[in-house]
Amino acid sequence: MTIEPRAGRPRASSREVLAEAACELFLEQGYDATSVADITQRAGVSRSSFFNYFSSKSDVLWSGLDARIDTAIVALGGLRADADAAAVRGILSDVVSDFAPDPLALALRNATAMGLEEELVRDTGLRHARLAAGIADAACRSGISAIRADILGAAHAAAVLSSLRVWAERGAGHGSPEALFEEALASIHDLPWRA
């Protein structure tokens, strides 16, 4: 006798199952009260399986965005001295492009219920600093002074992270991260790449 696979939704990967279990637990009992052991027990996988996919409990929330930021920083590092705002903004647009609801979006939308407000502020700050530094380095290589480069880096990184936060907080069907990013860029139009 052969067993036919069930019709319908395909089996989720362990990564997806772990992320889903973590988000459920964060909503049920709060972020701080949830351990990696709780997550693996809920997901029905071993502790080592968790660490095959995530480096920490926080990484469950941030890994998708971190991968996009890593790609952006590599691309920003490849810009030459003739880089302009359009090149930088094109790279940053890729960070928010086709951003689907994920554990981070769920956490941003439900920060209070999950007990994540402080965690999100701290961890957003880390991502902001990394992205701002990559943008500022690109600006400096194109001949922009260090202070102006730092300001441009901070403003553009804030545009990326703010557009994702506002999109997540509004919920599904209320705009796109891309549109919000364009709106955020319009807010910093008085900071031209070159003076």
Side-chain angles (χ1 to χ4, degrees):
M1 179 172 140
T2 60
I3 298 173
E4 295 293 322
R6 287 188 330 180
R9 187 172 172 210
R11 281 182 58 109
S13 73
S14 292
R15 179 184 192 87
E16 292 167 328
V17 170
L18 283 161
E20 185 176 314
C23 289
E24 288 172 359
L25 287 164
F26 297 161
L27 279 168
E28 290 171 15
Q29 59 193 35
Y31 180 81
D32 288 336
T34 301
S35 68
V36 170
D38 294 333
I39 296 168
T40 58
Q41 182 178 8
R42 172 71 61 96
V45 300
S46 69
R47 184 175 170 85
S48 62
S49 290
F50 179 91
F51 290 107
N52 284 337
Y53 296 102
F54 304 108
S55 61
S56 66
K57 183 170 68 167
S58 175
D59 192 35
V60 172
L61 302 176
W62 292 98
S63 62
L65 180 59
D66 283 344
R68 289 171 176 252
I69 289 174
D70 291 345
T71 300
I73 289 172
V74 168
L76 289 163
L79 293 177
R80 306 272 186 228
D82 62 349
D84 60 7
V88 170
R89 290 175 174 188
I91 290 167
L92 298 178
S93 290
D94 289 343
V95 175
V96 301
S97 180
D98 297 322
F99 202 93
D102 70 350
L104 178 60
L106 182 67
L108 289 167
R109 183 156 174 81
N110 297 287
T112 302
M114 290 181 165
L116 275 166
E117 293 102 331
E118 290 180 27
E119 176 86 17
L120 289 173
V121 168
R122 182 183 64 247
D123 285 353
T124 298
L126 295 172
R127 274 80 188 169
H128 180 271
R130 280 189 68 226
L131 193 53
I135 298 162
D137 288 346
C140 285
R141 283 193 311 279
S142 71
I144 294 172
S145 70
I147 290 175
R148 184 175 186 81
D150 285 347
I151 293 168
L152 287 166
H156 283 82
V160 169
L161 294 167
S162 180
S163 62
L164 290 173
R165 179 186 54 79
V166 170
W167 167 74
E169 288 174 352
R170 287 182 179 171
H174 292 53
S176 69
E178 296 91 340
L180 289 167
F181 181 62
E182 288 302 317
E183 182 181 328
L185 289 179
S187 297
I188 58 174
H189 75 281
D190 289 337
L191 293 171
W193 191 253
R194 297 217 182 265

